[in-house]
Structures are given as structure tokens and as C-alpha cells.
Amino acid sequence: MPSAALGAALARCSFLVNGVSEQEHARALHPCDELDVLPPFAGP
């Protein structure tokens, strides 16, 4: 089970599934899917 700090960090991340932005965090992944987790980027 992830720690509270990890959960808070992941809540701020963006996710790509097969190179496409995914907003539905409950989406099931298939064995051939590629998941990218992008950290929040600081802006000016």
C-alpha cells in the first residue's frame, strides 16, 4: 500500500497511456499498454 506522501505526489502527476493523456485514473491497463508518469512541472 503506498504511503501518504507517495499518494499525494501521484495526485499531482499527469499520466500518459500509449502516448495519450489519460484523465481517468481508474482506467484498466492492458499488458501491452505503456504508462508514463509525468511529475508536476514548475512554471514561471
Side-chain angles (χ1 to χ4, degrees):
M1 187 135 160
S3 71
L6 177 58
L10 287 175
R12 297 183 5 202
C13 291
S14 298
F15 300 90
L16 301 178
V17 177
N18 301 322
V20 178
S21 179
E22 180 61 60
Q23 302 301 317
E24 180 56 51
H25 294 170
R27 178 189 188 275
L29 296 174
H30 301 286
C32 62
D33 284 340
E34 181 178 311
L35 175 66
D36 294 306
V37 180
L38 305 174
F41 296 98

